[in-house]
Amino acid sequence: MVEVAPWWGALVLLAVLAVLALAAAGFDAVLAARAAGRPGGSALLEPLRTTAGLLVQQRRRTLAADALLWRSSGIVLLVAAVLASLATPLGRWAVGDLSVGVVWFNAMEIVAWAALWLAGWGPNSAFSLVGGYRFVAQGLAYELPHMFVLTTAALGAGSLRVSDIVAAQEDLWFVVWMPVAFVVYLVSVLGMAFFRPFDHAAGADLAGGVRTELSGVDRLVLDAGQWVLLVSGAAMAVPLFLGGGDGPVLPGWLWSVVKTAAVLALLIWVGRRLPTIRMERFTEVSWMVLVPATLLQALFVSFVVI
């Protein structure tokens, strides 16, 4: 049974997101170092060194930029990523046990989508703008199967409340009889967080794309928003498909953290194994493979529930 956490639950949520995001960035740096043939131990602190460097870096300015949209894009992305986790339970506690928790989660993802577009539009730079358009195309590719997957999990529980979805998995986790939905969900999380291999919007061929003109604190906030968004997506996979805090011996909140860390590690490892996928190819695969697959999965779940 999921209960609404006291007021300090919001502080705990922020702390958990921050720790997981920092750990994820460190794990990614270790994988990058090992792939380059360098020792992975020293790379574990690379996120902290990068953070320190960005804090003292001067802000870049561009001609005729829309400063409000540009400077606020990272803040909007970070806030949306945090708010997306309000309905995600940590064991038997949730900051907000919303009756439409699944819809809330998806709505915050749309806000994050808009934030990255602002990062591309705001600086009045060709490379940034092309990166923004790339992410719009990417959003059109991943968002529809993503919504079908969320609907499938809600259909299996007969409710849009995340706690009800967790309760419906008491006997059997949804990942067992919704494997297609689970896999497509993980793919869509990588696309939502514009993380490898779906980082075309911030590609090296565009000198960084939406990140091209960002520097200093602005770049730091956007990068933090990306990591927190990836953590939020991985965390929501736990109540949707992995039984929430269900597990032996350990307390529920710890099982939620362990499962989130496992999903997060899988996403980062896969991202390091695959090359960047161009938008037109991802769009083709999405509409020709992912959308039909998720519809068939939803149809199967409908028959089982009925």
Side-chain angles (χ1 to χ4, degrees):
M1 179 65 180
V2 176
E3 302 176 16
V4 177
W7 65 268
W8 47 262
L11 301 179
V12 173
L13 175 64
L14 290 175
V16 170
L17 290 176
V19 170
L20 286 176
L22 189 59
F27 179 59
D28 183 59
V30 169
L31 292 182
R34 294 186 62 181
R38 303 192 308 271
S42 60
L44 192 60
L45 298 177
E46 184 62 30
L48 296 179
R49 289 191 289 265
T50 302
T51 298
L54 290 175
L55 284 173
V56 298
Q57 188 180 59
Q58 186 176 2
R59 272 181 167 179
R60 184 177 293 116
R61 301 180 184 276
T62 58
L63 184 65
D66 190 325
L68 178 60
L69 297 183
W70 186 22
R71 305 300 183 190
S72 64
S73 59
I75 298 174
V76 174
L77 179 65
L78 181 57
V79 171
V82 172
L83 291 179
S85 295
L86 288 184
T88 304
L90 188 64
R92 67 186 185 92
W93 299 103
V95 175
D97 188 21
L98 307 177
S99 60
V100 289
V102 172
V103 177
W104 171 266
F105 175 72
N106 194 42
M108 292 304 102
E109 293 175 331
I110 301 299
V111 174
W113 184 6
L116 205 65
W117 164 249
L118 294 181
W121 175 270
N124 191 34
S125 168
F127 286 155
S128 297
L129 185 60
V130 173
Y133 274 119
R134 282 182 178 179
F135 190 70
V136 170
Q138 181 165 298
L140 294 174
Y142 80 74
E143 186 59 38
L144 194 57
H146 182 71
M147 288 191 295
F148 286 154
V149 165
L150 295 177
T151 303
T152 300
L155 185 63
S159 174
L160 292 172
R161 189 186 298 270
V162 178
S163 59
D164 291 342
I165 296 176
V166 174
Q169 300 175 68
E170 184 176 359
D171 298 323
L172 185 66
W173 292 359
F174 281 177
V175 67
V176 177
W177 59 295
M178 301 181 191
V180 174
F182 179 64
V183 172
V184 174
Y185 175 82
L186 296 184
V187 171
S188 63
V189 166
L190 289 172
M192 170 186 71
F194 56 106
F195 195 78
R196 293 177 303 270
F198 305 113
D199 59 340
H200 205 210
D205 60 323
L206 288 178
V210 292
R211 290 193 178 100
T212 301
E213 306 296 346
L214 286 171
S215 60
V217 176
D218 296 326
R219 172 68 178 267
L220 177 61
V221 173
L222 186 79
D223 289 350
Q226 179 187 25
W227 283 110
V228 174
L229 190 60
L230 186 67
V231 171
S232 296
M236 184 55 83
V238 176
L240 288 182
F241 298 102
L242 302 177
D246 182 38
V249 183
L250 301 177
W253 67 267
L254 188 53
W255 269 118
S256 294
V257 173
V258 169
K259 292 176 184 179
T260 299
V263 173
L264 196 55
L266 174 64
L267 293 177
I268 295 172
W269 181 81
V270 169
R272 280 288 171 188
R273 286 288 178 176
L274 299 175
T276 296
I277 299 176
R278 290 167 53 180
M279 283 308 95
E280 66 273 21
R281 292 179 179 174
F282 178 45
T283 302
E284 181 178 358
V285 171
S286 177
W287 285 90
M288 300 299 292
V289 178
L290 299 186
V291 170
T294 52
L295 286 175
L296 289 175
Q297 178 73 95
L299 183 62
F300 170 76
V301 171
S302 300
F303 281 130
V304 172
V305 171
I306 293 174

